[in-house]
Amino acid sequence: MERVVGTVARGLRCPIINEGDNIEEIVVDSVLKASEVEGIDINNRDIVSITESIVARAQGNYATIDHIAKDIQSKFGDETIGLTFPILSRNRFSNCLRGIAKGAKKIVIMLSYPSDEVGNQLISLDLLDEKGINPWTDVLNETEFRELFGYQKHTFTGVDYIDYYKSLVAEYGVECEIIFSQKPKTILNYTKNVLTCDIHTRQRTKRILEENGAEKVYTLDDILSESNDGSGYNEEYGLLGSNKSTDDGIKLFPRDCQPVVDNIQRMLLEKTGKLVEVMVYGDGAFKDPVGKIWELADPVVSPAYTPGLDGRPNEIKLKYLADNNFADLRGDALKAAISEFIDNKEEDLVGSNEAQGTTPRKLTDLIGSLSDLTSGSGDKGTPIVFIQGYFDNFTH
């Protein structure tokens, strides 16, 4: 019978993960149980994707604001600390900021405007135009910002992040000044000691600061890059990718993920005889059209994946073939011609007319986005996603 279903993504339920749990056994058992209960055949090149959260939870990769404060104090001492370009997020940055404040004497927070790097808006572009302000040239202090734009609450959270971040610092009796600029070197007018809090642009920011006279520059991946008094840590990403876990704690991005995915692949091969690809995923990589938020507050979509997920798709645009190469064909003849073209396509289609519009992003970024949307970020209880047919095409 002709196949009528392509890619299928299923969210799999599993037990609540706690520190010390064997994440590899739990994932494998969950996949096998789903296969048995739902009557799903496991095939070669199926994909098991696991949210980073349950890997970090099993590792016990947690830290407190006190751990952050001690690291900050060791790096900056009593110097005024400039924080450049933090994202506007209660989940992602509030406890990081509290830890930084607890280890500081004075903080100057420099916010990018009209939005942060992942699209959270302080103000709209329309309001910026109305006031005739250019964020690439105009530096504003808090009073000037309020006089121009008033009090603006975030579209989704209803939070005024200027007041919110100031209140977090004030909890520790620390002086806090807020300024607004898109230019990294602006902060050097206030202090030569800087913690760059941006995610994807952090290395550029650090370079600009060092070239313009900064004395100490650290990035968020330098903070808790090693254990501090028994804390969790991440040697590659530090505080990047962390989430609020408790009132005074954070869950860090998981570490040592490659052995996890490799072992799960090996265990599934031993139990099923099938070579299944495995990856750990965090945020997807997509943009919300209402809030304008680019959904990638983690440093990467996937910190670890098996070799079969390396690379990019090499796909043909079916509608281009139907409208151009085989415009004179219909029905079975058209299907046969397209199938033959796909079976004989070049190994690298970059730049070819037939591949226009396929947008060959990294496989792990695409699959991570699919997984993130499937598992959700709330109470679905499906931190494992089982994907089938992802590598199939029109011919099979």
Side-chain angles (χ1 to χ4, degrees):
M1 181 178 293
E2 181 182 10
R3 182 174 167 185
V4 294
V5 175
T7 300
V8 176
R10 298 178 175 89
L12 305 188
R13 294 180 178 176
C14 73
I16 301 297
I17 306 299
N18 293 301
E19 181 177 352
D21 287 347
N22 189 319
I23 192 63
E24 296 153 24
E25 287 185 359
I26 290 173
V27 170
V28 170
D29 289 346
S30 297
V31 171
L32 295 178
K33 182 177 180 180
S35 172
E36 178 185 355
V37 173
E38 301 294 336
I40 303 168
D41 293 329
I42 298 175
N43 304 307
N44 288 318
R45 301 215 78 188
D46 287 348
I47 303 167
V48 173
S49 55
I50 311 145
T51 182
E52 58 83 20
S53 176
I54 63 172
V55 180
R57 286 179 61 83
Q59 292 175 342
N61 205 19
Y62 293 89
T64 67
I65 59 174
D66 286 334
H67 294 130
I68 298 170
K70 185 172 181 179
D71 202 354
I72 291 294
Q73 179 65 33
S74 71
K75 288 178 167 63
F76 289 100
D78 292 337
E79 303 287 351
T80 296
I81 305 172
L83 306 184
T84 59
F85 308 143
I87 66 170
L88 307 175
S89 172
R90 295 172 299 175
N91 178 40
R92 293 289 188 168
F93 196 67
S94 63
N95 275 359
C96 292
L97 179 56
R98 293 175 70 217
I100 294 165
K102 193 168 185 179
K105 298 297 183 183
K106 179 181 178 180
I107 287 175
V108 180
I109 301 175
M110 189 170 82
L111 299 175
S112 59
Y113 76 104
S115 64
D116 67 15
E117 68 173 303
V118 295
N120 291 294
Q121 289 190 338
L122 279 172
I123 50 174
S124 69
L125 287 171
D126 290 334
L127 189 54
L128 203 66
D129 294 340
E130 177 187 325
K131 300 297 183 179
I133 298 296
N134 183 347
W136 292 104
T137 58
D138 298 334
V139 177
L140 305 174
N141 60 35
E142 185 180 353
T143 299
E144 291 168 334
F145 187 92
R146 293 299 196 191
E147 288 175 350
L148 284 163
F149 306 117
Y151 288 76
Q152 304 285 329
K153 293 186 176 181
H154 189 277
T155 302
F156 292 145
T157 64
V159 171
D160 180 302
Y161 277 95
I162 299 169
D163 276 354
Y164 179 56
Y165 280 180
K166 284 187 69 175
S167 72
L168 296 180
V169 177
E171 288 180 22
Y172 301 96
V174 173
E175 184 181 351
C176 179
E177 185 175 356
I178 295 188
I179 59 173
F180 305 83
S181 175
Q182 286 281 23
K183 298 178 291 185
K185 64 183 181 180
T186 299
I187 195 67
L188 299 178
N189 295 326
Y190 298 82
T191 177
K192 304 295 184 184
N193 303 282
V194 184
L195 177 63
T196 72
C197 300
D198 41 343
I199 304 163
H200 308 293
T201 55
R202 63 190 184 275
Q203 294 306 327
R204 175 179 181 268
T205 301
K206 182 178 182 180
R207 172 179 57 80
I208 291 172
L209 291 170
E210 290 176 336
E211 290 173 352
N212 284 275
E215 294 175 2
K216 294 179 184 177
V217 184
Y218 294 98
T219 56
L220 281 181
D221 46 6
D222 293 320
I223 310 302
L224 292 189
S225 59
E226 57 186 28
S227 183
N228 188 331
D229 285 344
S231 72
Y233 65 96
N234 190 302
E235 63 281 339
E236 185 173 5
Y237 297 120
L239 287 181
L240 292 175
S242 62
N243 299 85
K244 182 177 181 178
S245 60
T246 64
D247 286 344
D248 65 350
I250 60 170
K251 177 197 65 60
L252 295 160
F253 212 49
R255 61 181 187 268
D256 302 324
C257 292
Q258 194 60 47
V260 174
V261 298
D262 290 341
N263 285 335
I264 291 172
Q265 183 181 60
R266 176 185 55 77
M267 293 165 68
L268 283 171
L269 180 62
E270 290 174 353
K271 292 179 179 293
T272 68
K274 305 296 182 181
L275 187 65
V276 174
E277 304 298 343
V278 185
M279 65 178 278
V280 175
Y281 69 95
D283 280 340
F286 47 85
K287 185 173 182 177
D288 176 75
V290 176
K292 315 302 181 186
I293 300 169
W294 180 40
E295 187 69 19
L296 189 54
D298 288 326
V300 292
V301 172
S302 177
Y305 47 88
T306 49
L309 297 178
D310 196 20
R312 304 170 187 271
N314 189 50
E315 298 176 335
I316 297 292
K317 200 74 169 180
L318 294 187
K319 67 180 182 180
Y320 184 91
L321 296 181
D323 291 344
N324 293 274
N325 302 48
F326 309 116
D328 58 331
L329 301 179
R330 297 291 185 275
D332 290 342
L334 176 59
K335 180 179 179 181
I338 289 177
S339 297
E340 183 180 0
F341 192 99
I342 292 173
D343 286 338
N344 295 286
K345 65 185 177 183
E346 298 176 9
E347 291 187 6
D348 186 358
L349 292 167
V350 173
S352 69
N353 288 333
E354 290 81 7
Q356 286 186 65
T358 56
T359 316
R361 296 160 54 200
K362 289 177 60 177
L363 284 168
T364 50
D365 290 346
L366 292 164
I367 297 165
S369 295
L370 172 60
S371 300
D372 191 20
L373 289 166
T374 301
S375 62
S377 59
D379 56 8
K380 294 187 187 307
T382 55
I384 303 167
V385 179
F386 185 56
I387 302 168
Q388 296 189 293
Y390 190 83
F391 294 104
D392 295 349
N393 60 38
F394 185 67
T395 67
H396 63 280

